[in-house]
Amino acid sequence: MGIFTRRSNESAVAVATLPVDPALAALTGDYTIDPAHSSIGFTVRHAMVTNVRGTFSEHEGALRLDGANPAASSASIDVRIASIDTGIGDRDGHLRSGDFFDAEQFPLMSFRSTEAEQLGGDKYRITGELTIKDVTKPLSIDLEFNGSATDVYGNERVGFEGSAEILRSAWGLTWNAALETGGVMVSDKVKLNFDISAIKNAA
């Protein structure tokens, strides 16, 4: 079922408008991300040999799904940096400090979409701008649409999960420490993970 715009393989020929899928059209509307049933996190290599995983427990966001004109769909997310949780308090404090996110001066990490496309089946790519600290750079997130359902409380929900990889240094997160055996304490490459459940707003 398509949610976002479908990229054409015909670069020089106009593509006829596809018929609107009634099931897709029924999803059209504004949605609020449900933080209690969503997860935004990351995975980063530590000391060259293992992975550290963390999440941000406080975040909010919105989706606009347009079944009749999928290209008009959009997404926005704001993440509160101070809510970072890797399971170790001292490490979380270091990540909140000026060595990394400087959560006191820059409390939010934000994403605003600018474009979306279907890659095939229920797989999509949404492109936008990610802001960390005072740096804004483009980011593409590969997503899978997990479907829609009405929950036991009568809420209409949609679900997506996906990931993206960034180089943290591009956003000014450059702190590191050299290891005696070679290499560094924290890798530059970070994988971002998204598991999103969103509730359709009342008309």
Side-chain angles (χ1 to χ4, degrees):
M1 180 185 296
I3 293 296
F4 300 116
T5 185
R6 186 186 302 270
R7 171 172 285 181
S8 172
N9 292 324
E10 305 285 338
S11 59
V13 180
V15 178
T17 301
L18 296 175
V20 176
D21 182 339
L24 171 60
L27 298 180
T28 295
D30 296 311
Y31 292 75
T32 299
I33 292 176
D34 177 9
H37 296 93
S38 301
S39 175
I40 297 175
F42 61 90
T43 304
V44 62
R45 184 77 69 178
H46 175 262
M48 309 295 291
V49 297
T50 189
N51 289 319
V52 168
R53 294 175 173 81
T55 60
F56 297 93
S57 60
E58 296 180 23
H59 51 83
E60 59 184 20
L63 308 176
R64 170 64 185 173
L65 303 183
D66 192 326
N69 179 22
S73 298
S74 61
S76 64
I77 299 174
D78 292 315
V79 175
R80 188 159 296 280
I81 295 296
S83 71
I84 195 167
D85 182 6
T86 66
I88 297 178
D90 287 346
R91 180 166 60 204
D92 295 343
H94 191 198
L95 290 169
R96 295 184 190 106
S97 76
D99 282 345
F100 285 95
F101 288 106
D102 195 356
E104 185 172 347
Q105 184 174 356
F106 304 103
L108 294 179
M109 173 173 64
S110 301
F111 176 79
R112 299 291 183 270
S113 69
T114 57
E115 181 184 359
E117 61 181 296
Q118 184 176 13
L119 302 179
D122 287 333
K123 297 185 183 301
Y124 303 86
R125 178 170 294 144
I126 187 164
T127 299
E129 295 184 333
L130 176 67
T131 300
I132 302 175
K133 300 174 78 168
D134 56 352
V135 179
T136 299
K137 289 186 173 294
L139 175 70
S140 292
I141 305 170
D142 288 341
L143 294 166
E144 182 171 357
F145 177 52
N146 287 337
S148 61
T150 301
D151 66 22
V152 295
Y153 302 105
N155 299 312
E156 295 182 58
R157 291 181 179 267
V158 292
F160 296 88
E161 61 180 313
S163 63
E165 287 189 353
I166 66 170
L167 297 179
R168 61 188 178 90
S169 59
W171 279 266
L173 303 176
T174 58
W175 183 92
N176 228 321
L179 301 175
E180 291 184 4
T181 53
V184 292
M185 181 69 74
V186 185
S187 70
D188 192 18
K189 184 170 67 175
V190 180
K191 182 178 181 180
L192 304 177
N193 306 299
F194 304 87
D195 198 343
I196 301 298
S197 177
I199 297 173
K200 192 172 188 179
N201 298 346

